[in-house]
Amino acid sequence: MFGDPVLKKRADEVTDIDGRLVELADEMLLTMHEAQGLGLAAPQVGVGRRLFVYEIGESGPRAIVNPVIDEADGEWEYEEGCLSVPGMYFPITRAKRVHVTGFDLDGNEVSIEAEDMEAKLYQHELDHLDGRLLLELLDEDQRKAAMKELRRRAEMEQREAGPAAR
Ligand code: ZN
């Protein structure tokens, strides 16, 4: 969740695709489905490794290890949200088309051309692996308003939890 330092760190390369990593990916997919998200990056579950899972269109759930965007062009704006900043959406402009490479959980190289929603998803998840939240893509005024709202929510949560939780 927003505020956790793991979200601001660059995640480490995965050096070994082993059983534990596959298990992690499975758990991440469960978490993602429960939260009704389209994608989830490892830092969002507290793990600083370069891995994200996603499910978009009809391709079924997938995971990409050590993803890299090596080509990007065009511009596309969309109301974007993030499971680590729940319930908040911002108009964010990203590249319209990207080419992503990486590895699947069997260690096979993957090469994906994507546009619009799918391209946005890869850029969003890759940002997580580089320690960047979508709040950092906002302009000054939007960012201030968002931070204010996040502080207000945190205070409300504290109040609801009562003095015992402080
Ligand atoms: Zn996110």
Side-chain angles (χ1 to χ4, degrees), residues 11-160:
D12 296 324
E13 301 285 325
V14 172
T15 49
D16 209 3
I17 301 174
D18 54 13
R20 280 180 61 193
L21 195 81
V22 174
E23 235 171 74
L24 172 65
D26 284 344
E27 282 166 21
M28 283 167 60
L29 277 168
L30 276 177
T31 305
M32 183 187 90
H33 285 143
E34 272 169 21
Q36 298 186 313
L38 292 178
L40 189 72
Q44 293 183 278
V45 293
V47 180
R49 310 288 296 280
R50 300 187 80 76
L51 161 75
F52 65 74
V53 298
Y54 65 101
E55 181 162 7
I56 192 165
E58 286 158 19
S59 62
R62 287 189 180 179
I64 303 189
V65 179
N66 295 341
V68 173
I69 291 178
D70 57 6
E71 278 171 50
D73 67 85
E75 277 191 2
W76 197 63
E77 191 191 273
Y78 192 80
E79 287 284 312
E80 196 168 318
C82 177
L83 294 179
S84 296
V85 192
M88 293 177 77
Y89 297 86
F90 311 96
I92 304 239
T93 304
R94 294 189 184 270
K96 183 173 171 64
R97 280 173 296 272
V98 296
H99 179 244
V100 183
T101 60
F103 296 88
D104 66 18
L105 291 173
D106 296 317
N108 299 313
E109 265 186 66
V110 293
S111 164
I112 305 165
E113 303 258 10
E115 59 176 41
D116 299 344
M117 276 300 273
E118 193 177 348
K120 172 199 78 84
L121 184 143
Y122 296 139
Q123 293 169 82
H124 181 109
E125 301 311 331
L126 216 99
D127 272 355
H128 276 303
L129 303 185
D130 290 332
R132 201 160 44 231
L133 281 175
L134 78 176
L135 297 170
E136 288 164 54
L137 300 174
L138 303 178
D139 68 34
E140 193 65 24
D141 288 348
Q142 285 177 314
R143 197 176 134 84
K144 274 188 189 150
M147 296 306 286
K148 197 173 160 191
E149 171 64 14
L150 283 165
R151 270 196 302 275
R152 193 186 66 82
R153 287 186 186 190
E155 278 163 21
M156 249 172 59
E157 263 168 43
Q158 264 200 353
R159 223 171 293 146
E160 274 165 24

